[in-house]
Amino acid sequence: RRRMQDQLRESERNLRDILDHLPVGVLLVQGGERIVFRNRSFVQITGYTEQDVDGTQHWWERAYPDAQLRERTRRHWDALCDAARQGDGSIRAGEYDITCRDGQHRTVDISGVLLGADHLVFFEDLSERKAAEEEATYLAYYDTLTGLPNRRMLLDRLEEALSRSQNRDAKLAVVFVDLDHFKEVNDTLGHEAG
């Protein structure tokens, strides 16, 4: 019996160690209110330790200081949990903008799974992905040398303007300005001067 208890404790310790080293944040919420486990990644992503948030009420208040936004987001989360109860127990993933402990806003992907009255919640930091998407958008629509909008952005904006003018039955004018011999400025004085 003692050996079985020791093995059980060892097994629990191993499981906690595995959860603690996952690259995503993990919370175990007991009874829908009390946070009984949080891993290192959760603390790294949000900054919230056990002293900061010991239950879901504190989580909602800290992550969403604005009362209206908190209520709207909480209703959305509760609806996802209800859908999970009626389905296979998986809480559908969604992007959430949270306020971290240091006051910084961060976009995270939050999903989960119901375990009876408890639920396991997963947090994935999307900051790097969002930054990469913004950089890709910038590179697609702006000239890297000058930082000015490029031809692709011109065509995109022109298409939007044409669509708006057609929808409103309005007229649209496009002005094209060409500088003669501008290539000579670039060739003689360099691109920076140009």
Side-chain angles (χ1 to χ4, degrees):
R1 184 173 172 195
R2 179 179 235 167
R3 190 176 54 206
M4 284 176 41
Q5 287 175 338
D6 290 342
Q7 287 175 339
L8 182 61
R9 273 197 283 289
E10 181 64 25
S11 178
E12 281 183 30
R13 206 173 14 255
N14 287 339
L15 181 58
R16 283 184 180 267
D17 194 43
I18 290 168
L19 290 174
D20 206 33
H21 287 87
L22 286 176
V24 296
V26 177
L27 277 186
L28 177 58
V29 180
Q30 207 169 49
E33 293 295 322
R34 209 177 96 196
I35 298 172
V36 294
F37 176 79
R38 75 199 73 225
N39 71 349
R40 290 180 198 172
S41 292
F42 172 81
V43 176
Q44 288 171 347
I45 293 168
T46 66
Y48 295 122
T49 64
E50 191 174 345
Q51 291 76 31
D52 300 315
V53 288
D54 58 354
T56 56
Q57 185 63 34
H58 286 130
W59 160 254
W60 288 109
E61 289 169 359
R62 300 269 167 82
Y64 295 96
D66 178 79
Q68 289 178 332
L69 180 59
R70 177 174 53 241
E71 186 58 34
R72 206 169 41 249
T73 307
R74 192 162 191 178
R75 276 197 312 268
H76 175 71
W77 178 256
D78 289 344
L80 290 176
C81 289
D82 288 342
R85 280 185 200 90
Q86 294 170 9
D88 65 354
S90 296
I91 303 170
R92 191 169 42 105
E95 282 187 20
Y96 297 86
D97 290 319
I98 63 169
T99 303
C100 297
R101 185 174 189 261
D102 61 3
Q104 177 186 11
H105 293 275
R106 182 167 281 171
T107 303
V108 292
D109 185 69
I110 303 176
S111 61
V113 63
L114 298 176
L115 306 168
D118 305 337
H119 52 279
L120 202 55
V121 184
F122 307 103
F123 291 75
E124 183 180 356
D125 185 2
L126 300 179
S127 301
E128 288 180 18
R129 189 181 91 197
K130 289 285 186 185
E133 287 173 1
E134 288 172 10
E135 184 178 1
T137 300
Y138 180 82
L139 292 173
Y141 289 105
Y142 292 88
D143 181 75
T144 53
L145 180 65
T146 64
L148 296 172
N150 63 15
R151 178 174 292 186
R152 186 173 184 183
M153 180 178 268
L154 169 71
L155 295 174
D156 185 62
R157 297 300 187 265
L158 184 59
E159 190 176 309
E160 286 178 20
L162 283 170
S163 176
R164 277 196 310 271
S165 70
Q166 287 173 347
N167 290 341
R168 296 179 186 160
D169 199 29
K171 297 194 184 296
L172 175 70
V174 177
V175 178
F176 178 74
V177 179
D178 186 22
L179 300 177
D180 289 336
H181 310 294
F182 190 71
K183 184 179 180 319
E184 291 175 17
V185 173
N186 281 337
D187 290 346
T188 58
L189 300 175
H191 286 285
E192 281 188 29

